[in-house]
Each structure stands twice: as structure tokens, then as C-alpha cells.
């Protein structure tokens, strides 16, 4: 039955509006998830040829989409938090990060953001105090922002299917209230939306107060634009991936049926069995010499088809993926022959630049998440592990040269790649060593020992 009209801004209005937007976004981004999981569309073939060659078509998928996503997500790793304060807030932020297992959880969110364009971190107050932070899938969460205040969330919807009850559940978050509904799982092909009813939770008031006083989600957007929250890394790759799959399928069919010279014979009568079926007069795999008694019999062979053209075409398409996505060519082609350190650095320059670009927007969602937890000020910043891979000798040489210019040791430690927690530990160990040296403990411990006293 059609839904009654709801007042703009009412909980029901937000529920239906966000549910429709979430459904449309999920339908549009499902294809990126399928390609990441190597569920590619089969290459197009003539209708009569498709069924016999289905086995070869399934073998023709070479999943470069997964490499493109993993090359980016593998360089996104949070190392800690840093602000201009005394460091107590940073320590509490890192403790909360570890308590919620976000070393791994953030990686899950980064991968989903690269695939579908966005993902989320949800902040929930714990009953006994503190906060629970969980990564949320972009098919289950969507946020609406105020049109008059960009970046300020107005409402959010969390949607999931309860496997225990087979009910579709949703929760609408407004800055001051939280509303919960449930509905029977929609059947495939239904034109109408779910028939929502209030979802009562024991011990909770329906439409209860939002304890955070804000929308409890931080959005991790991947390469957003002014009128678009985020975009998949695979948006421009799928067409090239289809071309590669088609080339591989053609090559495999060539290998199956034309990679070896095919023999032919004319002027020879083909024997038949008692049912009138032709009997093959030769076994090409066993017969070394083919002989026929007919005077007019003639033998010949077709030349074998070389796969070189297919290999070059596939390699050209892979290079297109590398150029468009800034993925190092040696990641995709797997060829590294006599490459110098400078050549490798130049090959990865595009990927490093892309990582820095993506981090700027991911930081906004991470910083908002920590602010919702009430332990990070607006001046706090995310400390990332360096996305550049350098040899230890190269790095040490650069740091030694920087130290001669008077660069503080803490800055050198940061350039080395130490986390804020490691830097604090090293500073404390250095102060303790200095204190022991000033008190004479080191001299007593490491200085010359007096000779033993003879009995």
C-alpha cells in the first residue's frame, strides 16, 4: 500500500528518503564489489559459441581490480595521534583506538571506501562508560548533510537484515533523537518499499534521546567531489578489465583449437560403421605417418596460430590501468629487471601522490570520529605511517645529514617512521639514561671494577 506523505524533516520522512538513497547507491556500487571479488562479467561471444566455451570463459578472468584497490589500501595505516597539547589526549585517543581494534578495523573501512567510494566509523556510548567504535559497511549506512552548512550531518540511517528474525531493521539518527523500525524482508522484484513498524527494544524508549547529541558517524570518503561524497577506485578500470578478459578468452580459445597445426586430407573415402556414422581413419596423437590407399588422396596442414598478438594487446591494456590508476607498472605486470632504486622510486611516485591525496579526505572522517568520542580536540591530527618504502641505509644517511643542521631528534624520529608512542618511550628512556648518568649509576655499573679481595 502507498506510504502516507510525511512532514519534511520528520523521522518517517528521513527514514524513507535515506532508505531510497541507500538502496540506489548500493545498486550502483554492487558492480565494483563484484569486480573486486573477481565476479566479472563473462566476455561476450556469439550465442552458439557461448555454451561450449563457458569453461574457458570462466578461466579468462585476471583480477587486476583487486590489485588496484590493495595497492592503495596497503599504504594507508594510522600510526597515532598528535596535537599541540601535553600529549595526554593523544595517549587516550590511541588507547581508545587500540581498545576497539581499529588497527584492523580501519583497514577494513579503507578497503570498502576504495571499492564503493565511502565507508563509515560509528561511535556508540558504552553502558559502563567509554565508547565503542565500529567500522560500518556502505551498504548499511548513509548520512545526509545540511544543504546550508556543508559537512554538518543532519541525519543518518543504519540498515541491516537480522538473520535471527528475518526482519529488515533500520535506525534513524537525528542530533537529538533515535528512532527504530523493522519490516518483513522485501521480496525480490517488489515495487513498494518495506512496510515499517516500530521496533521496540526492552529497556529503551522508542524515539529515545541521542546521548551523543550528534550524528554518531564519521564518513571515510574516497576521492570526493563538491557534489559527490566519494567515488570508487574501480570506476575507470572496469571497461579495461573487460577488454583484458576478452583478450584472454580469445587467446585461450586459440590455444585450445589453433595452437597446433591442424591436418587435412582430400580425395579419400571416409569409412562408416554399421550405423552409418563416420569413423576417424587416423589418430593424430598416435599415428606418426598418415597413409591412404586412394590414388587421389592429398594431405596438408593449416599453420598454427601464434598468441603473440593477444599477449601484446593484454599488456597494453594493463599499462592503461597502471597509467589511469597510478598503480606502479611492476605491481601489475610483475616484471622487475635490473631496476635501480631511483627507477623504483619514480615508478611509485604516482601511487605515493595518490595516497597523500586520499589521506586528506579520510582524515576528516577519522578526526570527526575521535571528536565524537570526546578525546580529540580540533587541533589534533592523524599521524600516518609513511607510504614510501626506502632502504634503511638510505634513510639513516638522510637523518644523519639532517642532524648536522640542528634538526631536533624528535623530528628525526618522526622521519624514521616511529609512532608517537615510540617517540614518547624513546624520550623517556633517554631522560632516564641521562638521570642515571648524572647520579653516577652508569659509572658504577659500567666503569672499571675493583679487583676481588683475596681471603
Amino acid at each position: 500500500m502507498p506510504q502516507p506523505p510525511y512532514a519534511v524533516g520528520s523521522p518517517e520522512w528521513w527514514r524513507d528518503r535515506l532508505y531510497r538513497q541507500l538502496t540506489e547507491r548500493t545498486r550502483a556500487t554492487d558492480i565494483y564489489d563484484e569486480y573486486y571479488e573477481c565476479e566479472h562479467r563473462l566476455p561476450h561471444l556469439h550465442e552458439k559459441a557461448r555454451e561450449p566455451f563457458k569453461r574457458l570463459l570462466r578461466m579468462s578472468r585476471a583480477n587486476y581490480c583487486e590489485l588496484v584497490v590493495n595497492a592503495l589500501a596497503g599504504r594507508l595505516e594510522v600510526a597515532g595521534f598528535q596535537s599541540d597539547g601535553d600529549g595526554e589526549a593523544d595517549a587516550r585517543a590511541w588507547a581508545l583506538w587500540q581498545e576497539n581494534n581499529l588497527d584492523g578495523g580501519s583497514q577494513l573501512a579503507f578497503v570498502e571506501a576504495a571499492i564503493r567510494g565511502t565507508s563509515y566509523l560509528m561511535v556508540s556510548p558504552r553502558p559502563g562508560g567509554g565508547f565503542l567504535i565500529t567500522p560500518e559497511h556502505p551498504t548499511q549506512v548513509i548520512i545526509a548533510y545540511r544543504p546550508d552548512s556543508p559537512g554538518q550531518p543532519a541525519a543518518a540511517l543504519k540498515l541491516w537484515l537480522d538473520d535471527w528474525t528475518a526482519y529488515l531493521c533500520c535506525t534513524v539518527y537525528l542530533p537529538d533523537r533515535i528512532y527504530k523500525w523493522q519490516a518483513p524482508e522485501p521480496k525480490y522484484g517488489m515495487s513498494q518499499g518495506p512496510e515499517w513498524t516500530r521496533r521496540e527494544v526492552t529497556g529503551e524508549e522508542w524515539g529515545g534521546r541521542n546521548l551523543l547529541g550528534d550524528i554518531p558517524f564519521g564518513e571515510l570518503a574516497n576521492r570526493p567531489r563538491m557534489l559527490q561524497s566519494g567515488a570508487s577506485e574501480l570506476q575507470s578500470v572496469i571497461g579495461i578489465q573487460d577488454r583484458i578478459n576478452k583478450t584472454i578468452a580469445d587467446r585461450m580459445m586459440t590455444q585450445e583449437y589453433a595452437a597446433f597445426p591442424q591436418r587435412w586430407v582430400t580425395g579419400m573415402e571416409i569409412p562408416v560403421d554399421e550405423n552409418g556414422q563416420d569413423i576417424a581413419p587416423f589418430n593424430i596423437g598416435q599415428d606418426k605417418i598418415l597413409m591412404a590407399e586412394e590414388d587421389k588422396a592429398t594431405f596438408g596442414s593449416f599453420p598454427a596460430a601464434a598468441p603473440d598478438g593477444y599477449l601484446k594487446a593484454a599488456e597494453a591494456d594493463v599499462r592503461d590501468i597502471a597509467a589511469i590508476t597510478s598503480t606502479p607498472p611492476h605491481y601489475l605486470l610483475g616484471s622487475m629487471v635490473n631496476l635501480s632504486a631511483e627507477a623504483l622510486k619514480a615508478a611509485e611516485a604516482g601511487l605515493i601522490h595518490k595516497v597523500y591525496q586520499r589521506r586528506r579526505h579520510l582524515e576528516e572522517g577519522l578526526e570527526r570520529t575521535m571528536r565524537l568520542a570526546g578525546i580529540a580536540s580540533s587541533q589534533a591530527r592523524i599521524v600516518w605511517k609513511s607510504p614510501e618504502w626506502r632502504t634503511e641505509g638510505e634513510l639513516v644517511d638522510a637523518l644523519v645529514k639532517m642532524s648536522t643542521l640542528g634538526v631536533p631528534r624528535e623530528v628525526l624520529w618522526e622521519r624514521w617512521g616511529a609512532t608517537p608512542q615510540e617517540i614518547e618511550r624513546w624520550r623517556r628512556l633517554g631522560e632516564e639514561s641521562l638521570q642515571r648518568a648524572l647520579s653516577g649509576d652508569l659509572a658504577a655499573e659500567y666503569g672499571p671494577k675493583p679487583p676481588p679481595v683475596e681471603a
Side-chain angles (χ1 to χ4, degrees):
M1 58 183 299
Q3 297 287 348
Y6 299 111
V8 175
S10 66
E12 293 80 7
W13 182 82
W14 278 120
R15 177 198 66 196
D16 294 346
R17 176 184 177 86
L18 294 178
Y19 175 79
R20 183 173 60 255
Q21 292 178 355
L22 180 60
T23 303
E24 293 173 354
R25 188 181 70 183
T26 298
R27 189 180 301 115
T29 58
D30 275 347
I31 186 172
Y32 304 129
D33 188 78
E34 292 170 358
Y35 270 71
Y36 178 79
E37 294 294 340
C38 201
E39 294 295 332
H40 304 171
R41 295 172 294 199
L42 293 178
H44 175 73
L45 286 178
H46 190 273
E47 187 176 296
K48 293 182 179 180
R50 190 174 184 85
E51 190 63 32
F53 296 139
K54 188 173 291 186
R55 177 181 62 88
L56 295 179
L57 292 177
R58 292 197 183 98
M59 295 168 59
S60 66
R61 296 166 175 162
N63 196 12
Y64 291 98
C65 295
E66 182 180 9
L67 280 173
V68 169
V69 170
N70 291 347
L72 170 64
R75 306 278 182 119
L76 297 171
E77 188 172 353
V78 175
F81 304 88
Q82 193 173 70
S83 63
D84 297 331
D86 57 2
E88 183 179 346
D90 303 337
R92 286 191 289 122
W94 186 246
L96 181 65
W97 184 270
Q98 295 297 321
E99 178 185 343
N100 287 279
N101 302 314
L102 289 178
D103 283 338
S106 62
Q107 281 295 308
L108 296 177
F110 296 154
V111 169
E112 294 300 334
I115 296 172
R116 291 186 179 260
T118 189
S119 62
Y120 303 89
L121 292 176
M122 180 179 181
V123 180
S124 306
R126 294 181 185 269
F131 296 89
L132 174 67
I133 304 178
T134 56
E136 300 293 335
H137 200 273
T139 62
Q140 296 183 330
V141 173
I142 191 168
I143 299 177
Y145 294 92
R146 296 180 58 89
D148 58 343
S149 182
Q152 179 61 41
L157 173 74
K158 179 172 171 58
L159 179 77
W160 74 97
L161 179 64
D162 189 342
D163 294 334
W164 292 4
T165 63
Y167 270 89
L168 189 66
C169 301
C170 78
T171 302
V172 170
Y173 294 90
L174 300 179
D176 56 344
R177 294 286 173 180
I178 300 176
Y179 301 89
K180 300 179 180 181
W181 287 274
Q182 65 182 13
E185 182 182 359
K187 302 301 181 183
Y188 179 78
M190 287 182 59
S191 58
Q192 299 176 354
E195 298 181 359
W196 300 108
T197 58
R198 289 187 178 185
R199 177 163 52 92
E200 303 290 347
V201 180
T202 304
E204 291 186 10
E205 174 189 3
W206 192 86
R209 187 167 62 91
N210 186 346
L211 298 179
L212 283 179
D214 201 344
I215 306 302
F217 296 98
E219 182 172 10
L220 307 179
N222 184 68
R223 66 186 189 97
R225 297 174 58 191
M226 294 186 67
L227 298 179
Q228 181 176 315
S229 60
S232 171
E233 291 293 328
L234 305 179
Q235 198 168 42
S236 57
V237 179
I238 288 180
I240 306 176
Q241 178 70 72
D242 287 341
R243 293 205 311 260
I244 294 173
N245 292 345
K246 178 64 168 64
T247 301
I248 295 176
D250 292 344
R251 190 199 77 198
M252 294 182 66
M253 293 176 193
T254 299
Q255 293 176 187
E256 184 84 0
Y257 297 101
F260 302 97
Q262 301 296 308
R263 295 181 175 87
W264 53 263
V265 60
T266 61
M268 175 182 172
E269 183 177 351
I270 304 298
V272 297
D273 58 16
E274 61 274 9
N275 298 321
Q277 300 295 325
D278 293 342
I279 300 176
F282 309 110
N283 188 327
I284 301 299
Q286 297 178 3
D287 297 338
K288 301 298 183 180
I289 301 177
L290 307 182
M291 296 181 295
E293 297 180 358
E294 289 83 349
D295 296 337
K296 297 181 179 180
T298 305
F299 293 90
S301 64
F302 296 106
D308 297 356
Y310 299 117
L311 297 176
K312 291 180 179 179
E315 185 175 334
D317 287 333
V318 172
R319 293 188 183 278
D320 286 346
I321 292 180
I324 291 173
T325 64
S326 298
T327 304
H330 55 273
Y331 278 32
L332 302 171
L333 296 172
S335 57
M336 295 178 61
V337 181
N338 296 329
L339 293 181
S340 64
E342 290 76 13
L344 282 175
K345 191 176 183 66
E348 295 191 352
L351 175 61
I352 299 304
H353 178 67
K354 183 169 74 169
V355 169
Y356 281 118
Q357 281 188 320
R358 301 297 186 265
R359 287 190 340 191
R360 293 190 189 102
H361 300 288
L362 294 174
E363 282 179 3
E364 300 299 326
L366 293 172
E367 290 171 358
R368 171 177 167 79
T369 300
M370 303 313 292
R371 286 197 299 269
L372 288 172
I375 56 175
S377 66
S378 58
Q379 289 78 29
R381 67 180 181 90
I382 307 298
V383 178
W384 300 85
K385 286 192 176 180
S386 175
E388 301 182 55
W389 291 344
R390 291 175 289 184
T391 64
E392 189 169 306
E394 177 186 7
L395 186 56
V396 168
D397 182 61
L399 296 179
V400 170
K401 293 177 180 177
M402 291 176 64
S403 66
T404 61
L405 301 176
V407 178
R409 61 176 184 173
E410 286 80 4
V411 177
L412 299 178
W413 291 342
E414 286 184 7
R415 291 296 183 93
W416 172 261
T419 65
Q421 295 72 38
E422 290 175 330
I423 292 175
E424 180 61 28
R425 178 172 175 269
W426 294 352
R427 183 189 296 113
R428 188 170 62 252
L429 290 174
E431 292 174 353
E432 292 175 357
S433 298
L434 179 60
Q435 185 64 30
R436 289 197 303 269
L438 294 176
S439 62
D441 291 346
L442 287 182
E445 182 175 355
Y446 297 106
K449 304 295 184 184
V453 179
E454 296 182 359

